[in-house]
Amino acid sequence: MATLTSEFTVVDQHRTDRRSPIRWILSHQWRYRRYLVGLLGGSLVMVILNSAIPGLTGAAFDAVLTGGESGRSRLVLIVVALIAIVLLRGVFDLAARMCTEILAKRLERNAREELYTSLLGKSQTFHTRQRVGDLMARAANDVRQLSAMVSPGLDLIVDSMLQGLVPLVFIALIDPRLLLSPLLFGVAFGLSLRHYMRRLNPVSIRMREQFGTLNAGLNEAVRGIEVVKVTAQEAQERRQFETNARAYRDSFVEQGLVQARYLPPLLLAVGTAGALLHGLVLYRGGELTLGDLVAYLGLMGLLQFPTMISIFTFSLVQLGIVSARRIITLMDDEAELDQNPQGHQGRMRGELVFEDVSFGYGDDPVLRNLSFRAEPGQTVAIVGETGSGKSTMTKLVNRIYDPDKGRILIDGTDVRDWTLDSLRSQISTIEQDIVLFSRPVAENIAFSLGQRADRDEVVRAAKDAQAHGFIEELDEGYDTVIGERGVTLSGGQRQRLAIARALLTDPSILVLDDSTSAIDSATEDGIQRAIRRILQGRTTLLITHRLSQIRWADKVLLIQRGELIDQGTHDELLERCPLYRRIFAHYDEVTHPSPDGHADEEWGQLPAAGDGRVATAVPAYDGEEV
């Protein structure tokens, strides 16, 4: 069975090979083969022309020593040839550099698009366990490192490799015996470079990981700046940032120490000295001309470029490969859910059934053997203490998570048998933590429908959510751009926009997770009337502590520590369920404390029956929190 890496997949005609970072990079580059050919061809011609210059320089020495008319004629031809070579070299060099830049920027663009598409398709479980700052570091800095790996990294490596090989051919044309020193240098250079890369690799990995940690810490501090300010913990956050920044700095220092022990420049100096000695021996023996010796030493000088530039280029390539590995690891992280494109589709009626459902995060059980039924159009209120699993239960309905045991049916079909798109497009959720985007108000309301929603529908949904009034008071009305996460709006205004967004999708099932907690009672009354009017024929799961909302629910589920204690109408539970009665008696005591002045706040500490405290519900609490 194939490994799942995303919930939703996007058809891509350009499939990439993720078996290794190098294969993945090459599969991206192979899409632009003509530019690869342009890079390799242009660089090859440029290096050949460059390597011809020492030979012409040596020939010029011989022409000067020859003297006479023939020597002057040869010298003129050499000068013309040198000018032509320099001009042609510039043209081919420019073409190769342009091809490199195109390859680099397209790799960066395509890698970022592939990563972004992969992140959109990942499950909620995946995103829950990721640090946003580290994700941003991979999506921004690691992807940008791929571009630097190609240009100037790969570009210079191609030039340096050709610059190391082509001169050997020209040396062999002068005298094959002269290859002794450059070949010995080449072997030593290869071994030294291999040792250098093996030492550099773990340092590069730590650098990228520490950058992700640094970026994640910075992101968390900025996102939680309000908490930092109100708790006066600026000094603590500064120390934490300094610790992360110091670790990142230390990795750079370690990289510098590795680079400081880079041996090829020393090996080149030894090789050049050996080449000069060898050439002088042959020259004194009359087997080389002075021009040949000059050309030979000029060609040996060309080896200085690949030797000196490799300390820089291979570091860039190593960082690029490490970045590619980090990106691939993220994209190949296994998904828990499947899009199920061949699954059931259709318009929901809204019948919802839980059959012996259990679920936990890892080894921590949250829900145990939960069973209930909601008929189409019913409103089911879910009541329980904090941490009892109420929100988790609703996340099983739209398959944010799948149950560990049992099954959940919608209209008689297991939710796992629905296509994920059809399932989630007909279920709307409004949570306490409202997510808004830095976009106009109208776009935030119409987010679930994208371009399909017109302005009249947006306005109608806003009116139903009691949001139209304050939107009209904004500077540009529905075209006002709100801040990230709605920071320019009050909590109640953000919740009303979220309700409008949910109502616009015309859901068959609506989940309200304490969605009116930040709204005043008068506004809430209007919203509740609008919701009750609009939700005719729709199934609603309502997580709430407000008695006014619990009363008009068709069914109430009482959850304690992940187990369903009882279910029924509000009045039925008051009549037969001691725990349910004690809940409201407890809140009565919070409002009217007993003479000792103490009041229990956690449901797990509720007074036992018969301890003398009030044990009757107080119907007059309309609008009060329960």
Side-chain angles (χ1 to χ4, degrees):
M1 180 178 177
T3 300
L4 299 174
T5 59
S6 64
E7 288 183 351
F8 289 94
T9 56
V10 178
V11 177
D12 186 357
Q13 58 179 332
H14 303 292
R15 297 188 61 83
T16 54
D17 187 347
R18 299 181 185 172
R19 285 178 290 178
S20 73
I22 294 178
R23 285 175 179 269
W24 181 68
I25 293 169
L26 291 177
S27 65
H28 270 290
Q29 299 287 269
W30 190 245
R31 294 167 58 177
Y32 308 105
R33 292 183 286 275
R34 56 180 179 176
Y35 295 109
L36 275 175
V37 172
L39 166 61
L40 297 175
S43 297
L44 178 61
V45 174
M46 186 269 294
V47 171
I48 290 174
L49 293 173
N50 201 42
S51 299
I53 292 177
L56 291 173
T57 303
F61 270 85
D62 287 339
V64 171
L65 293 176
T66 300
E69 188 64 31
S70 62
R72 285 193 294 272
S73 298
R74 286 177 59 196
L75 196 58
V76 170
L77 291 175
I78 290 172
V79 170
V80 172
L82 285 172
I83 294 174
I85 285 175
V86 170
L87 292 175
L88 283 174
R89 184 183 65 179
V91 171
F92 282 98
D93 189 30
L94 176 63
R97 302 296 78 76
M98 289 182 63
C99 290
T100 304
E101 286 299 320
I102 291 173
L103 287 171
K105 298 310 176 187
R106 291 192 177 180
L107 172 61
E108 181 180 354
R109 179 196 66 187
N110 295 337
R112 181 171 283 116
E113 180 182 4
E114 184 178 357
L115 175 59
Y116 182 67
T117 301
S118 175
L119 291 177
L120 288 177
K122 295 296 185 183
S123 65
Q124 181 63 43
T125 305
F126 167 87
H127 287 285
T128 299
R129 64 175 179 258
Q130 299 296 325
R131 294 182 301 174
V132 175
D134 187 48
L135 286 180
M136 295 304 298
R138 300 193 196 202
N141 194 271
D142 282 338
V143 172
R144 189 163 53 248
Q145 195 67 49
L146 295 177
S147 177
M149 180 192 64
V150 176
S151 177
L154 180 62
D155 183 21
L156 292 174
I157 284 180
V158 170
D159 281 354
S160 62
M161 289 181 63
L162 292 174
Q163 197 98 313
L165 295 175
V166 172
L168 298 180
V169 177
F170 281 82
I171 290 173
L173 292 176
I174 296 174
D175 191 325
R177 291 174 293 179
L178 295 175
L179 289 172
L180 178 61
S181 289
L183 286 179
L184 289 175
F185 163 73
V187 172
F189 174 72
L191 294 174
S192 175
L193 189 61
R194 179 171 177 268
H195 176 69
Y196 171 72
M197 294 295 289
R198 292 177 70 175
R199 295 189 61 194
L200 185 64
N201 182 57
V203 178
S204 300
I205 292 174
R206 281 197 296 274
M207 282 180 61
R208 301 315 308 156
E209 290 176 347
Q210 286 164 358
F211 179 80
T213 300
L214 175 67
N215 204 59
L218 179 61
N219 177 272
E220 290 170 359
V222 172
R223 289 173 65 88
I225 191 65
E226 183 177 351
V227 177
V228 175
K229 291 293 183 182
V230 299
T231 56
Q233 292 301 312
E234 291 89 347
Q236 173 182 279
E237 290 303 310
R238 186 190 69 242
R239 288 193 297 271
Q240 181 64 44
F241 180 79
E242 288 176 350
T243 299
N244 293 335
R246 190 178 298 111
Y248 187 43
R249 178 207 62 192
D250 290 345
S251 65
F252 268 101
V253 173
E254 188 175 357
Q255 182 189 42
L257 292 175
V258 173
Q259 292 175 338
R261 298 184 180 94
Y262 186 66
L263 289 178
L266 177 61
L267 297 175
L268 178 63
V270 175
T272 302
L276 176 59
L277 180 61
H278 190 195
L280 287 174
V281 170
L282 294 177
Y283 174 70
R284 289 188 63 182
E287 299 180 57
L288 287 181
T289 67
L290 180 61
D292 290 336
L293 181 59
V294 170
Y296 176 44
L297 294 178
L299 290 168
M300 284 296 297
L302 292 179
L303 299 180
Q304 184 176 5
F305 175 74
T307 302
M308 302 305 296
I309 204 67
S310 58
I311 190 173
F312 169 66
T313 56
F314 281 97
S315 296
L316 285 177
V317 170
Q318 190 65 52
L319 285 173
I321 292 174
V322 170
S323 296
R325 182 178 293 112
R326 279 164 50 85
I327 293 170
I328 292 173
T329 300
L330 205 60
M331 294 190 296
D332 283 348
D333 199 313
E334 293 187 21
E336 294 77 11
L337 305 179
D338 177 21
Q339 182 179 358
N340 192 17
Q342 307 302 321
H344 178 72
Q345 300 184 54
R347 181 65 183 175
M348 292 180 182
R349 293 185 296 108
E351 181 190 42
L352 176 64
V353 179
F354 273 58
E355 291 184 354
D356 199 27
V357 171
S358 297
F359 174 80
Y361 299 102
D363 296 329
D364 182 23
V366 178
L367 299 174
R368 302 178 183 84
N369 305 317
L370 199 66
S371 297
F372 74 91
R373 174 185 295 271
E375 300 296 337
Q378 277 192 335
T379 296
V380 178
I382 306 172
V383 179
E385 76 272 23
T386 300
S388 61
K390 304 185 298 296
S391 297
T392 299
M393 185 176 75
T394 61
K395 286 181 170 61
L396 298 177
V397 178
N398 58 1
R399 289 196 71 202
I400 297 299
Y401 307 112
D402 274 341
D404 299 329
K405 174 187 173 185
R407 60 176 185 163
I408 301 169
L409 307 176
I410 294 181
D411 297 345
T413 302
D414 195 312
V415 292
R416 289 168 288 200
D417 295 330
W418 284 76
T419 65
L420 210 53
D421 183 63
S422 179
L423 177 75
R424 292 181 177 174
S425 65
Q426 300 182 74
I427 301 174
S428 288
T429 301
I430 308 173
E431 299 186 359
Q432 290 174 291
D433 185 16
I434 305 301
V435 176
L436 298 175
F437 302 92
S438 297
R439 303 175 188 178
V441 172
E443 289 188 23
N444 270 280
I445 295 176
F447 182 79
S448 300
L449 297 181
Q451 302 297 323
R452 293 177 293 165
D454 59 38
R455 181 57 62 89
D456 291 339
E457 293 175 324
V458 169
V459 173
R460 188 180 307 113
K463 289 180 178 179
D464 289 335
Q466 303 293 301
H468 179 72
F470 83 81
I471 294 175
E472 287 291 293
E473 295 175 359
L474 299 176
D475 292 340
E476 299 180 40
Y478 284 85
D479 296 318
T480 302
V481 177
I482 59 180
E484 184 179 1
R485 298 178 65 85
V487 294
T488 56
L489 303 176
S490 69
Q493 289 171 334
R494 292 199 300 270
Q495 287 188 324
R496 279 178 274 177
L497 289 183
I499 292 172
R501 178 195 294 169
L503 296 179
L504 188 62
T505 61
D506 189 25
S508 298
I509 297 177
L510 182 62
V511 178
L512 303 175
D513 190 349
D514 210 4
S515 59
T516 58
S517 60
I519 298 176
D520 60 88
S521 297
T523 303
E524 183 198 353
D525 289 341
I527 293 176
Q528 294 300 334
R529 285 194 298 271
I531 291 178
R532 292 183 68 178
R533 183 177 66 253
I534 293 171
L535 292 184
Q536 297 298 322
R538 294 179 175 84
T539 305
T540 305
L541 296 181
L542 179 65
I543 299 176
T544 183
H545 293 97
R546 295 203 177 193
L547 183 58
S548 59
Q549 297 176 346
I550 296 174
R551 280 177 173 169
W552 54 262
D554 299 299
K555 180 182 294 186
V556 179
L557 306 181
L558 178 59
I559 309 293
Q560 186 179 43
R561 297 185 181 90
E563 296 182 356
L564 180 60
I565 303 302
D566 203 346
Q567 58 180 308
T569 65
H570 172 66
D571 293 334
E572 290 172 349
L573 293 182
L574 280 178
E575 181 178 348
R576 72 167 181 256
C577 182
L579 174 61
Y580 196 76
R581 289 197 301 270
R582 289 201 300 273
I583 290 172
F584 294 101
H586 162 63
Y587 281 98
D588 177 37
E589 183 164 320
V590 171
T591 308
H592 306 287
S594 58
D596 62 5
H598 296 289
D600 297 305
E601 294 184 0
E602 294 294 332
W603 287 15
Q605 302 170 339
L606 287 177
D611 68 350
R613 297 186 185 183
V614 180
T616 57
V618 183
Y621 280 157
D622 193 82
E624 294 295 330
E625 289 197 2
V626 174

PDB file of all heavy atoms in Angstrom, residues 361-387:
ATOM      1  N   TYR A 361      -5.204  10.964  21.820  1.00  0.00           N
ATOM      2  CA  TYR A 361      -3.995  11.515  21.226  1.00  0.00           C
ATOM      3  C   TYR A 361      -2.820  10.665  21.689  1.00  0.00           C
ATOM      4  O   TYR A 361      -2.355  10.800  22.815  1.00  0.00           O
ATOM      5  CB  TYR A 361      -3.803  12.972  21.645  1.00  0.00           C
ATOM      6  CG  TYR A 361      -4.930  13.880  21.206  1.00  0.00           C
ATOM      7  CD1 TYR A 361      -5.904  14.292  22.115  1.00  0.00           C
ATOM      8  CD2 TYR A 361      -5.028  14.305  19.891  1.00  0.00           C
ATOM      9  CE1 TYR A 361      -6.941  15.122  21.718  1.00  0.00           C
ATOM     10  CE2 TYR A 361      -6.056  15.135  19.485  1.00  0.00           C
ATOM     11  CZ  TYR A 361      -7.010  15.540  20.392  1.00  0.00           C
ATOM     12  OH  TYR A 361      -8.045  16.353  19.992  1.00  0.00           O
ATOM     13  N   GLY A 362      -2.353   9.767  20.819  1.00  0.00           N
ATOM     14  CA  GLY A 362      -1.315   8.841  21.237  1.00  0.00           C
ATOM     15  C   GLY A 362      -1.878   7.851  22.237  1.00  0.00           C
ATOM     16  O   GLY A 362      -2.887   7.183  21.984  1.00  0.00           O
ATOM     17  N   ASP A 363      -1.232   7.768  23.379  1.00  0.00           N
ATOM     18  CA  ASP A 363      -1.677   6.836  24.426  1.00  0.00           C
ATOM     19  C   ASP A 363      -2.623   7.494  25.411  1.00  0.00           C
ATOM     20  O   ASP A 363      -3.016   6.880  26.406  1.00  0.00           O
ATOM     21  CB  ASP A 363      -0.460   6.285  25.180  1.00  0.00           C
ATOM     22  CG  ASP A 363       0.449   5.459  24.281  1.00  0.00           C
ATOM     23  OD1 ASP A 363      -0.083   4.838  23.340  1.00  0.00           O
ATOM     24  OD2 ASP A 363       1.677   5.454  24.516  1.00  0.00           O
ATOM     25  N   ASP A 364      -2.985   8.742  25.157  1.00  0.00           N
ATOM     26  CA  ASP A 364      -3.843   9.480  26.083  1.00  0.00           C
ATOM     27  C   ASP A 364      -5.291   9.424  25.595  1.00  0.00           C
ATOM     28  O   ASP A 364      -5.656  10.110  24.647  1.00  0.00           O
ATOM     29  CB  ASP A 364      -3.368  10.939  26.178  1.00  0.00           C
ATOM     30  CG  ASP A 364      -4.192  11.741  27.177  1.00  0.00           C
ATOM     31  OD1 ASP A 364      -4.790  11.116  28.069  1.00  0.00           O
ATOM     32  OD2 ASP A 364      -4.228  12.980  27.056  1.00  0.00           O
ATOM     33  N   PRO A 365      -6.166   8.585  26.204  1.00  0.00           N
ATOM     34  CA  PRO A 365      -7.559   8.478  25.745  1.00  0.00           C
ATOM     35  C   PRO A 365      -8.334   9.755  26.059  1.00  0.00           C
ATOM     36  O   PRO A 365      -8.226  10.312  27.145  1.00  0.00           O
ATOM     37  CB  PRO A 365      -8.109   7.287  26.529  1.00  0.00           C
ATOM     38  CG  PRO A 365      -7.267   7.223  27.755  1.00  0.00           C
ATOM     39  CD  PRO A 365      -5.897   7.704  27.361  1.00  0.00           C
ATOM     40  N   VAL A 366      -9.106  10.218  25.091  1.00  0.00           N
ATOM     41  CA  VAL A 366      -9.901  11.429  25.261  1.00  0.00           C
ATOM     42  C   VAL A 366     -11.391  11.104  25.263  1.00  0.00           C
ATOM     43  O   VAL A 366     -12.148  11.619  26.077  1.00  0.00           O
ATOM     44  CB  VAL A 366      -9.582  12.448  24.147  1.00  0.00           C
ATOM     45  CG1 VAL A 366     -10.451  13.692  24.292  1.00  0.00           C
ATOM     46  CG2 VAL A 366      -8.107  12.829  24.189  1.00  0.00           C
ATOM     47  N   LEU A 367     -11.826  10.247  24.349  1.00  0.00           N
ATOM     48  CA  LEU A 367     -13.230   9.830  24.265  1.00  0.00           C
ATOM     49  C   LEU A 367     -13.312   8.320  24.435  1.00  0.00           C
ATOM     50  O   LEU A 367     -12.470   7.584  23.903  1.00  0.00           O
ATOM     51  CB  LEU A 367     -13.825  10.239  22.917  1.00  0.00           C
ATOM     52  CG  LEU A 367     -13.845  11.733  22.588  1.00  0.00           C
ATOM     53  CD1 LEU A 367     -14.331  11.955  21.166  1.00  0.00           C
ATOM     54  CD2 LEU A 367     -14.713  12.499  23.567  1.00  0.00           C
ATOM     55  N   ARG A 368     -14.356   7.861  25.150  1.00  0.00           N
ATOM     56  CA  ARG A 368     -14.494   6.431  25.413  1.00  0.00           C
ATOM     57  C   ARG A 368     -15.917   5.980  25.114  1.00  0.00           C
ATOM     58  O   ARG A 368     -16.866   6.459  25.729  1.00  0.00           O
ATOM     59  CB  ARG A 368     -14.164   6.113  26.873  1.00  0.00           C
ATOM     60  CG  ARG A 368     -12.766   6.520  27.325  1.00  0.00           C
ATOM     61  CD  ARG A 368     -12.570   6.199  28.805  1.00  0.00           C
ATOM     62  NE  ARG A 368     -11.277   6.634  29.313  1.00  0.00           N
ATOM     63  CZ  ARG A 368     -11.019   7.867  29.746  1.00  0.00           C
ATOM     64  NH1 ARG A 368     -11.994   8.784  29.739  1.00  0.00           N
ATOM     65  NH2 ARG A 368      -9.826   8.191  30.190  1.00  0.00           N
ATOM     66  N   ASN A 369     -16.034   5.082  24.139  1.00  0.00           N
ATOM     67  CA  ASN A 369     -17.296   4.377  23.854  1.00  0.00           C
ATOM     68  C   ASN A 369     -18.476   5.344  23.777  1.00  0.00           C
ATOM     69  O   ASN A 369     -19.512   5.159  24.433  1.00  0.00           O
ATOM     70  CB  ASN A 369     -17.555   3.319  24.924  1.00  0.00           C
ATOM     71  CG  ASN A 369     -16.389   2.354  25.057  1.00  0.00           C
ATOM     72  OD1 ASN A 369     -15.830   1.906  24.060  1.00  0.00           O
ATOM     73  ND2 ASN A 369     -16.004   2.042  26.286  1.00  0.00           N
ATOM     74  N   LEU A 370     -18.346   6.353  22.947  1.00  0.00           N
ATOM     75  CA  LEU A 370     -19.367   7.397  22.833  1.00  0.00           C
ATOM     76  C   LEU A 370     -20.399   7.003  21.778  1.00  0.00           C
ATOM     77  O   LEU A 370     -20.038   6.670  20.640  1.00  0.00           O
ATOM     78  CB  LEU A 370     -18.694   8.716  22.435  1.00  0.00           C
ATOM     79  CG  LEU A 370     -19.467  10.009  22.678  1.00  0.00           C
ATOM     80  CD1 LEU A 370     -19.663  10.240  24.163  1.00  0.00           C
ATOM     81  CD2 LEU A 370     -18.711  11.174  22.060  1.00  0.00           C
ATOM     82  N   SER A 371     -21.684   7.026  22.142  1.00  0.00           N
ATOM     83  CA  SER A 371     -22.754   6.678  21.201  1.00  0.00           C
ATOM     84  C   SER A 371     -23.930   7.636  21.374  1.00  0.00           C
ATOM     85  O   SER A 371     -24.386   7.859  22.506  1.00  0.00           O
ATOM     86  CB  SER A 371     -23.242   5.238  21.426  1.00  0.00           C
ATOM     87  OG  SER A 371     -22.212   4.296  21.189  1.00  0.00           O
ATOM     88  N   PHE A 372     -24.395   8.208  20.280  1.00  0.00           N
ATOM     89  CA  PHE A 372     -25.613   9.029  20.299  1.00  0.00           C
ATOM     90  C   PHE A 372     -26.072   9.223  18.857  1.00  0.00           C
ATOM     91  O   PHE A 372     -25.341   8.934  17.899  1.00  0.00           O
ATOM     92  CB  PHE A 372     -25.373  10.381  20.981  1.00  0.00           C
ATOM     93  CG  PHE A 372     -24.583  11.365  20.157  1.00  0.00           C
ATOM     94  CD1 PHE A 372     -25.205  12.270  19.307  1.00  0.00           C
ATOM     95  CD2 PHE A 372     -23.195  11.398  20.247  1.00  0.00           C
ATOM     96  CE1 PHE A 372     -24.483  13.171  18.555  1.00  0.00           C
ATOM     97  CE2 PHE A 372     -22.455  12.296  19.498  1.00  0.00           C
ATOM     98  CZ  PHE A 372     -23.098  13.188  18.649  1.00  0.00           C
ATOM     99  N   ARG A 373     -27.275   9.745  18.705  1.00  0.00           N
ATOM    100  CA  ARG A 373     -27.855   9.993  17.382  1.00  0.00           C
ATOM    101  C   ARG A 373     -28.444  11.393  17.356  1.00  0.00           C
ATOM    102  O   ARG A 373     -29.105  11.832  18.304  1.00  0.00           O
ATOM    103  CB  ARG A 373     -28.951   8.974  17.070  1.00  0.00           C
ATOM    104  CG  ARG A 373     -29.707   9.238  15.761  1.00  0.00           C
ATOM    105  CD  ARG A 373     -30.863   8.257  15.591  1.00  0.00           C
ATOM    106  NE  ARG A 373     -30.381   6.911  15.454  1.00  0.00           N
ATOM    107  CZ  ARG A 373     -30.053   6.346  14.286  1.00  0.00           C
ATOM    108  NH1 ARG A 373     -30.187   7.049  13.162  1.00  0.00           N
ATOM    109  NH2 ARG A 373     -29.614   5.107  14.245  1.00  0.00           N
ATOM    110  N   ALA A 374     -28.188  12.102  16.248  1.00  0.00           N
ATOM    111  CA  ALA A 374     -28.796  13.408  16.002  1.00  0.00           C
ATOM    112  C   ALA A 374     -29.572  13.319  14.698  1.00  0.00           C
ATOM    113  O   ALA A 374     -29.006  13.010  13.649  1.00  0.00           O
ATOM    114  CB  ALA A 374     -27.733  14.497  15.919  1.00  0.00           C
ATOM    115  N   GLU A 375     -30.877  13.562  14.777  1.00  0.00           N
ATOM    116  CA  GLU A 375     -31.707  13.514  13.586  1.00  0.00           C
ATOM    117  C   GLU A 375     -31.485  14.774  12.748  1.00  0.00           C
ATOM    118  O   GLU A 375     -31.029  15.810  13.258  1.00  0.00           O
ATOM    119  CB  GLU A 375     -33.185  13.399  13.975  1.00  0.00           C
ATOM    120  CG  GLU A 375     -33.523  12.162  14.778  1.00  0.00           C
ATOM    121  CD  GLU A 375     -33.298  10.889  13.993  1.00  0.00           C
ATOM    122  OE1 GLU A 375     -33.303  10.952  12.742  1.00  0.00           O
ATOM    123  OE2 GLU A 375     -33.102   9.824  14.621  1.00  0.00           O
ATOM    124  N   PRO A 376     -31.786  14.718  11.454  1.00  0.00           N
ATOM    125  CA  PRO A 376     -31.623  15.905  10.602  1.00  0.00           C
ATOM    126  C   PRO A 376     -32.383  17.102  11.178  1.00  0.00           C
ATOM    127  O   PRO A 376     -33.559  16.995  11.541  1.00  0.00           O
ATOM    128  CB  PRO A 376     -32.202  15.457   9.263  1.00  0.00           C
ATOM    129  CG  PRO A 376     -32.055  13.971   9.253  1.00  0.00           C
ATOM    130  CD  PRO A 376     -32.244  13.549  10.674  1.00  0.00           C
ATOM    131  N   GLY A 377     -31.717  18.222  11.273  1.00  0.00           N
ATOM    132  CA  GLY A 377     -32.344  19.439  11.762  1.00  0.00           C
ATOM    133  C   GLY A 377     -32.312  19.607  13.258  1.00  0.00           C
ATOM    134  O   GLY A 377     -32.693  20.660  13.772  1.00  0.00           O
ATOM    135  N   GLN A 378     -31.842  18.613  14.000  1.00  0.00           N
ATOM    136  CA  GLN A 378     -31.794  18.726  15.451  1.00  0.00           C
ATOM    137  C   GLN A 378     -30.613  19.580  15.909  1.00  0.00           C
ATOM    138  O   GLN A 378     -29.571  19.618  15.262  1.00  0.00           O
ATOM    139  CB  GLN A 378     -31.689  17.342  16.106  1.00  0.00           C
ATOM    140  CG  GLN A 378     -33.008  16.616  16.286  1.00  0.00           C
ATOM    141  CD  GLN A 378     -32.848  15.413  17.192  1.00  0.00           C
ATOM    142  OE1 GLN A 378     -31.776  14.832  17.330  1.00  0.00           O
ATOM    143  NE2 GLN A 378     -33.952  15.018  17.822  1.00  0.00           N
ATOM    144  N   THR A 379     -30.804  20.228  17.043  1.00  0.00           N
ATOM    145  CA  THR A 379     -29.716  20.951  17.702  1.00  0.00           C
ATOM    146  C   THR A 379     -29.325  20.174  18.946  1.00  0.00           C
ATOM    147  O   THR A 379     -30.152  19.920  19.816  1.00  0.00           O
ATOM    148  CB  THR A 379     -30.150  22.374  18.084  1.00  0.00           C
ATOM    149  OG1 THR A 379     -30.436  23.112  16.889  1.00  0.00           O
ATOM    150  CG2 THR A 379     -29.047  23.081  18.856  1.00  0.00           C
ATOM    151  N   VAL A 380     -28.061  19.783  18.994  1.00  0.00           N
ATOM    152  CA  VAL A 380     -27.549  18.973  20.100  1.00  0.00           C
ATOM    153  C   VAL A 380     -26.549  19.814  20.881  1.00  0.00           C
ATOM    154  O   VAL A 380     -25.513  20.226  20.346  1.00  0.00           O
ATOM    155  CB  VAL A 380     -26.875  17.688  19.584  1.00  0.00           C
ATOM    156  CG1 VAL A 380     -26.307  16.885  20.754  1.00  0.00           C
ATOM    157  CG2 VAL A 380     -27.862  16.850  18.784  1.00  0.00           C
ATOM    158  N   ALA A 381     -26.862  20.106  22.136  1.00  0.00           N
ATOM    159  CA  ALA A 381     -25.952  20.843  23.007  1.00  0.00           C
ATOM    160  C   ALA A 381     -25.024  19.854  23.706  1.00  0.00           C
ATOM    161  O   ALA A 381     -25.469  18.799  24.177  1.00  0.00           O
ATOM    162  CB  ALA A 381     -26.722  21.664  24.031  1.00  0.00           C
ATOM    163  N   ILE A 382     -23.745  20.186  23.762  1.00  0.00           N
ATOM    164  CA  ILE A 382     -22.746  19.321  24.402  1.00  0.00           C
ATOM    165  C   ILE A 382     -22.211  20.062  25.623  1.00  0.00           C
ATOM    166  O   ILE A 382     -21.645  21.150  25.503  1.00  0.00           O
ATOM    167  CB  ILE A 382     -21.607  18.987  23.431  1.00  0.00           C
ATOM    168  CG1 ILE A 382     -22.175  18.389  22.130  1.00  0.00           C
ATOM    169  CG2 ILE A 382     -20.624  18.018  24.068  1.00  0.00           C
ATOM    170  CD1 ILE A 382     -21.154  18.211  21.042  1.00  0.00           C
ATOM    171  N   VAL A 383     -22.407  19.465  26.778  1.00  0.00           N
ATOM    172  CA  VAL A 383     -22.038  20.111  28.040  1.00  0.00           C
ATOM    173  C   VAL A 383     -21.016  19.240  28.753  1.00  0.00           C
ATOM    174  O   VAL A 383     -21.135  18.019  28.786  1.00  0.00           O
ATOM    175  CB  VAL A 383     -23.289  20.312  28.933  1.00  0.00           C
ATOM    176  CG1 VAL A 383     -22.909  20.955  30.255  1.00  0.00           C
ATOM    177  CG2 VAL A 383     -24.331  21.153  28.208  1.00  0.00           C
ATOM    178  N   GLY A 384     -19.999  19.864  29.318  1.00  0.00           N
ATOM    179  CA  GLY A 384     -18.993  19.119  30.064  1.00  0.00           C
ATOM    180  C   GLY A 384     -17.905  20.046  30.550  1.00  0.00           C
ATOM    181  O   GLY A 384     -17.777  21.179  30.080  1.00  0.00           O
ATOM    182  N   GLU A 385     -17.098  19.535  31.493  1.00  0.00           N
ATOM    183  CA  GLU A 385     -16.044  20.375  32.036  1.00  0.00           C
ATOM    184  C   GLU A 385     -14.926  20.549  31.013  1.00  0.00           C
ATOM    185  O   GLU A 385     -14.838  19.814  30.023  1.00  0.00           O
ATOM    186  CB  GLU A 385     -15.489  19.775  33.338  1.00  0.00           C
ATOM    187  CG  GLU A 385     -14.555  18.589  33.165  1.00  0.00           C
ATOM    188  CD  GLU A 385     -15.280  17.263  33.108  1.00  0.00           C
ATOM    189  OE1 GLU A 385     -16.480  17.245  32.773  1.00  0.00           O
ATOM    190  OE2 GLU A 385     -14.643  16.238  33.406  1.00  0.00           O
ATOM    191  N   THR A 386     -14.058  21.519  31.238  1.00  0.00           N
ATOM    192  CA  THR A 386     -12.917  21.750  30.368  1.00  0.00           C
ATOM    193  C   THR A 386     -12.049  20.500  30.312  1.00  0.00           C
ATOM    194  O   THR A 386     -11.730  19.905  31.339  1.00  0.00           O
ATOM    195  CB  THR A 386     -12.071  22.933  30.890  1.00  0.00           C
ATOM    196  OG1 THR A 386     -12.888  24.091  30.929  1.00  0.00           O
ATOM    197  CG2 THR A 386     -10.866  23.174  29.996  1.00  0.00           C
ATOM    198  N   GLY A 387     -11.688  20.086  29.088  1.00  0.00           N
ATOM    199  CA  GLY A 387     -10.860  18.900  28.919  1.00  0.00           C
ATOM    200  C   GLY A 387     -11.619  17.602  28.858  1.00  0.00           C
ATOM    201  O   GLY A 387     -11.014  16.527  28.869  1.00  0.00           O
TER     202      GLY A 387
END
